[in-house]
Amino acid sequence: MSPTDSPDPLLHVDGLSIGFETGRGPVQVVDAVRFAVRRGEAVALVGESGCGKSVTAKSILGLLPAPPARVSGSVRFDGQELVGAADRALRRIRGARVGFVFQDPMTALNPVYRVGEQIAERLRRHGGLDRKAAAQRAVELLGQVGIPAAAERSRAWPHELSGGMRQRVVIAIALACDPDLVIADEPTTALDVTVQAQIMRLLREAQRARRMGLLLITHDLGLVARYVDRVVVMYAGQVVEQAPVEALFDGARHPYTRGLLQAVPGAVAPRADGRLWSIPGAVPAPADFPASCRFADRCPRAADDCRATPIPISDAGERQWRCLHPHVDETAEAGT
Amino acid sequence: MTPLLEAEGLKVHYPGPRGAVVRAVDGVDLVLHAGETLGLVGESGCGKSTLGRAMLRLEPPAGGRLAAFGEDIIERSGRKALATLRRRTAMIFQDPHASLDPRMTVGQSIAEPLVVHKVGDRASRARRVAELLERVGLTPDVADRRPHAFSGGQLQRVGIARALALDPDVVVADEPVSALDVSVQAGVVNLLMDLQAERGLAYLFVAHDLKVVELIAHRVAVMYLGRVVELASSAALFGAPKHPYTRALLAAAPTPDPRRRDDPPALAGEPPSPLDPPHGCAFHPRCPLAEDRCRADRPALRADAAGHRVACHLVSLDEPRA
């Protein structure tokens, strides 16, 4: 059964479309996106810049300013419809039942409050704790996210901490009210590679220990391979492929996913001439998205039918792909 | 053969808060030979970008010796050598949107080094711009457009065309592909490799992405807190890294392989502040192998018989040399 059909996914995004009003008229940047995150599951929304992954994540809890954004379709969180929901309802969910971790911890932290106070504030507002209990719990949380000398560090200002420590504080805030879901948008892109591994490990362990859902938005396939259960690949505003992580890395069906995996340095052997595999051309601009396959102009397998009509999603249980000429791996196919 | 660029004990200092000194580059020996790619890797704040710029004397040295094309470029008598340096070297930057003037057409930007060095006339410069645009995979008619009309990958190709304008011998590339999407990045890396094969360019390639460096570099220097801690051929460094920091750095780079998902993080902690570097070996607070002498004495960069250099007390070299 595909995750979007499972009876009670924690987060169920269906037919989500996002447009923006621009000086030259409306432009649709996200088109009928459908995916789900189940309880206790880590899902990556992966794609290159401009594919719509970040806008999709922001729209989930009404974080896009409207206008200019126009959001339609359905986002159900724990059964509750969020598209069109009142601000008050969204605010109750944000920060309490859904935690956020963004790329740059400095934008998430208030520079004029000590880090312990920022965690405590969240606990008092959403968790109903009194001042003393909140301060105490803040120190516990700092310890849980791997900050040494937590009691002392809780009195530090954000600027006194390193980038990795700041991101740990942001994670502590995200986890403060025992959320059901954490949305992490490029959480380690600004960090060094040795620190990146520590932070991803921390998020993944928290997700497993608390049986939360984790939605990781990233461009980094190395992170995807290591830290999630299932992958949703976006290209030019559409979902082009979804699969469990092993299946995707063993045999991607969509030529774009294949191209992306091949282009990662070190992922596959380089070409015979020592050069990297690259994808020719560039992503079309949203105003130029064709009604037919959006990848056809860059695709080695494209045929006339790819340029004729919109491409439907094909569905085989846990796997979905939007392609008329997918790569099909016979050994994997035998099992389905 | 004389190296193209040669640094000895090079230091670059910045003023820090309250009179402190940041030793961004703290005594580095480095040579760049004709036609080679020397990769310079390390985490943010290790001094790799500063060193790259300092090698072209774009940062004032606080000490040490620096020569380009066999001539000293620090002493006052080196002014002619400095002019040669500017003509025979170029830089490629991480963010082409920031490094190209948004008010100039890309054709004007590419031709600017020719104008500055008084090369050719208007017509010949226009021909050169067209030729360069074609070589980097763009069409000559884009010369009249301004940077905002280009994608990141296209604009980085413009940055490369500009760097090639004076037919340099040396290009310092500072994170040239780290701002690009992976599918675009591969094309730009391939272009850089093709250009080197055609023109015999030497690259000083500054990057944090080890996989790209492994592919493109002939030799690699690993920096930690202002110093080179390991320097070897690409094959030796990636095949048999000696320094505990290099080993951790290689292990931390996420491989796109779901079967390695449970590998533990390679390294705890973060790089220390260059304002307050640890005593002895700068890496000792994070090093799983650190002993008392690592906390007391700073290890020198020693080479084995094959020229593999490493600065670590705990690595035994088959034939230690000074």
Side-chain angles (χ1 to χ4, degrees), chain B residues 114-248:
Chain B
L114 300 168
V115 176
V116 169
H117 289 272
K118 302 188 171 64
V119 177
D121 57 18
R122 219 183 161 79
S124 73
R125 289 199 287 261
R127 279 198 302 277
R128 177 84 177 135
V129 167
E131 182 188 302
L132 287 165
L133 281 169
E134 274 198 312
R135 181 58 201 92
V136 299
L138 299 169
T139 50
D141 61 291
V142 303
D144 296 332
R145 299 196 200 151
R146 281 171 224 281
H148 68 84
F150 293 83
S151 70
Q154 290 170 327
L155 212 52
Q156 193 56 296
R157 289 172 187 267
V158 172
I160 293 169
R162 178 180 153 102
L164 294 177
L166 291 164
D167 230 337
D169 298 300
V170 175
V171 171
V172 174
D174 188 0
E175 302 272 10
V177 297
S178 44
L180 305 178
D181 277 319
V182 61
S183 72
V184 176
Q185 172 184 312
V188 173
V189 169
N190 290 347
L191 173 63
L192 289 171
M193 292 173 80
D194 290 343
L195 290 169
Q196 180 171 57
E198 267 167 46
R199 292 161 197 242
L201 279 170
Y203 291 126
L204 185 58
F205 193 90
V206 181
H208 70 278
D209 186 333
L210 297 165
K211 297 289 178 190
V212 172
V213 172
E214 182 174 6
L215 183 85
I216 199 172
H218 303 101
R219 293 188 304 135
V220 181
V222 180
M223 287 186 77
Y224 193 77
L225 225 60
R227 303 183 139 245
V228 172
V229 297
E230 185 160 5
L231 198 164
S233 72
S234 193
L237 192 115
F238 287 99
K242 290 183 190 288
H243 198 287
Y245 176 63
T246 309
R247 291 207 293 265

Side-chain angles (χ1 to χ4, degrees), chain B residues 2-6 55 66-73 81 84-85 89:
Chain B
T2 318
L4 301 183
L5 300 178
E6 188 170 16
M55 293 296 284
L66 191 59
F69 310 104
E71 295 204 50
D72 187 290
I73 50 170
T84 308
L85 175 77
T89 65

Side-chain angles (χ1 to χ4, degrees), chain B residues 7-14 21-30 40-52 54-55 62-63 221-231 243 245 271-278 280-283 286 298-299 301 311:
Chain B
E8 225 181 80
L10 186 67
K11 296 182 179 192
V12 181
H13 294 172
Y14 294 125
V21 173
V22 178
R23 296 169 197 278
V25 176
D26 193 19
V28 167
D29 298 348
L30 201 69
L40 207 49
V41 304
E43 295 178 280
S44 51
C46 73
K48 60 188 189 297
S49 287
T50 304
L51 177 59
M55 293 296 284
V222 180
M223 287 186 77
Y224 193 77
L225 225 60
R227 303 183 139 245
V228 172
V229 297
E230 185 160 5
L231 198 164
H243 198 287
Y245 176 63
S273 161
L275 271 171
D276 185 21
C281 172
F283 185 59
R286 302 175 77 193
R298 179 188 274 171
L301 195 64

